[in-house]
Amino acid sequence: MQITKDVDDAFGNGTLADFEPIFKYIPTNAIRQIKKVTNTWLRFIQSKIDDHRINIQEGSVSDAVHDALKFQAELKCKDQADELTDVHVRQIIADIFGGGIDTTTQTMIWCLAYSVSHPDVQAKVHKEIDDVIGKDCLLLLSDKAKLPYCEAVILEVMRIRIISALSLPHETTENTSIGGYNIPKGTQIWTNLWNLHMDEEYWKEPEKFCPERFLDDEGNVQKRQESYLPFSAGRRMCIGEVLARNSMFLIFTCLFQQFTLSPIKGKGKPSLGPIFKNLVTRCIPYEVVAKERISGQTDSQA
């Protein structure tokens, strides 16, 4: 967690090289710090992979690292070792953790902030979970279709506070055009996803938090809307979309199945104003009170 924070701080401060590539060759303090924390991060990942290489021989329970190592071993047996080298394995694991932990965490932080700031929404979440699942049954991924309002809340959070306001930069591989604009080969492209999610042409009162906008007249989750791209789009969209959606659904529903969240007395509700750091839309740190929801009691009694 500390390494992740250090990496985030180093990259989040930005450098001149972000705007003028030639400056990456000048060893400024920012560049040196980025290289230092990146090397620390990769050494940490490599140490975990090395541990897994030892444990995999002992038949331990498989996880993402074990799966990658097993696949690598299979390729070596087929004389295809170059297709998945040790560097590939390290970078795959680094991408999974680097690209998945912070974004999912920040989305859940926003979910809690909006739920605390809109107690009527939280009450509807509690009611749907209680009516369909109950307070004592284990929530499963297969319950997702049965809890459309819970899913709608998560979808609306990802719209109104999209984690990647600007998608990662891409570069054109040939001369092209879009919307009447000529774009030469080698042009760096940034997609303004925030603007898509706040476009009044597609969203009524886009600044208003309204999970119902993702539900149809029968209360079911609507199909993906045209101007909704929390995971970007195209062949380079986020490959972790399914994993992220499933993880957030389970975390969100399990949490509100067991707890009622409210502001700390005297401190007020969490701020919903975004701050932008390291290409991530972050929430100002806040504290809330979590009260256990006991079976047989209403939220007012808990």
Side-chain angles (χ1 to χ4, degrees):
M1 291 176 66
Q2 184 60 48
I3 293 174
T4 301
K5 182 179 182 303
D6 291 343
V7 170
D8 182 64
D9 290 341
F11 281 90
N13 291 330
T15 69
L16 286 174
D18 294 334
F19 306 96
E20 293 294 339
I22 192 173
F23 283 99
K24 68 181 179 181
Y25 300 107
I26 301 176
T28 62
N29 287 335
I31 292 294
R32 284 194 290 267
Q33 181 63 16
I34 286 175
K35 289 183 177 180
K36 179 181 178 181
V37 297
T38 300
N39 289 334
T40 300
W41 166 247
L42 293 178
R43 284 197 302 270
F44 174 78
I45 294 295
Q46 189 61 56
S47 69
K48 296 301 178 184
I49 293 174
D50 293 340
D51 290 342
H52 278 68
R53 287 189 188 279
I54 297 173
N55 295 333
I56 197 173
Q57 299 175 359
E58 301 174 357
S60 59
V61 177
S62 178
D63 59 17
V65 182
H66 279 145
D67 285 342
L69 293 176
K70 288 178 180 178
F71 187 53
Q72 183 187 47
E74 292 173 4
L75 290 175
K76 286 181 179 180
C77 292
K78 299 176 182 178
D79 294 326
Q80 298 175 335
D82 291 342
E83 295 187 16
L84 191 64
T85 66
D86 289 346
V87 173
H88 289 147
V89 172
R90 185 191 68 191
Q91 294 306 122
I92 288 171
I93 302 305
D95 285 348
I96 289 174
F97 282 89
I101 292 177
D102 192 36
T103 51
T104 301
T105 300
Q106 292 302 320
T107 300
M108 290 310 306
I109 288 173
W110 279 115
C111 283
L112 302 189
Y114 271 95
S115 297
V116 171
S117 298
H118 295 79
D120 57 322
V121 170
Q122 186 175 172
K124 292 179 182 179
V125 167
H126 285 150
K127 186 177 187 307
E128 182 175 69
I129 294 174
D130 292 349
D131 290 347
V132 178
I133 308 299
K135 293 182 181 178
D136 300 320
C137 295
L138 179 66
L139 267 156
L140 303 174
L141 192 57
S142 57
D143 295 321
K144 192 173 184 180
K146 306 173 188 176
L147 301 170
Y149 189 79
C150 291
E151 185 177 358
V153 172
I154 300 173
L155 293 173
E156 174 67 344
V157 168
M158 290 194 293
R159 180 198 67 82
I160 199 169
R161 289 296 179 262
I162 181 172
I163 292 301
S164 297
L166 297 174
S167 67
L168 293 175
H170 294 72
E171 186 174 288
T172 53
T173 57
E174 59 184 38
N175 294 331
T176 186
S177 64
I178 184 171
Y181 293 91
N182 293 323
I183 304 175
K185 176 182 178 180
T187 301
Q188 192 174 92
I189 303 296
W190 296 71
T191 306
N192 190 340
L193 300 177
W194 179 278
N195 186 65
L196 288 175
H197 286 195
M198 292 295 173
D199 192 335
E200 292 184 352
E201 181 179 347
Y202 298 95
W203 308 99
K204 182 180 179 180
E205 298 182 278
E207 290 290 348
K208 180 181 179 181
F209 183 68
C210 180
E212 285 79 6
R213 71 173 83 242
F214 284 94
L215 300 175
D216 60 23
D217 294 338
E218 297 179 354
N220 299 315
V221 176
Q222 296 188 44
K223 294 182 179 180
R224 178 171 293 183
Q225 302 186 35
E226 185 176 0
S227 188
Y228 186 71
L229 298 174
F231 296 92
S232 194
R235 296 165 66 184
R236 295 294 182 269
M237 68 182 295
C238 177
I239 62 173
E241 177 177 359
V242 174
L243 176 62
R245 285 180 181 273
N246 291 342
S247 298
M248 287 188 291
F249 169 78
L250 289 174
I251 295 171
F252 180 86
T253 52
C254 288
L255 181 66
F256 283 103
Q257 181 189 39
Q258 302 299 328
F259 295 98
T260 297
L261 302 185
S262 58
I264 293 179
K265 188 175 181 180
K267 286 194 174 183
K269 298 177 180 178
S271 170
L272 301 179
I275 54 177
F276 300 95
K277 184 177 181 182
N278 195 17
L279 297 180
V280 173
T281 308
R282 302 182 184 278
C283 187
I284 297 173
Y286 62 86
E287 294 180 332
V288 296
V289 174
K291 294 183 179 179
E292 185 178 2
R293 305 180 66 236
I294 301 173
S295 180
Q297 290 184 345
T298 63
D299 289 336
S300 60
Q301 295 173 323

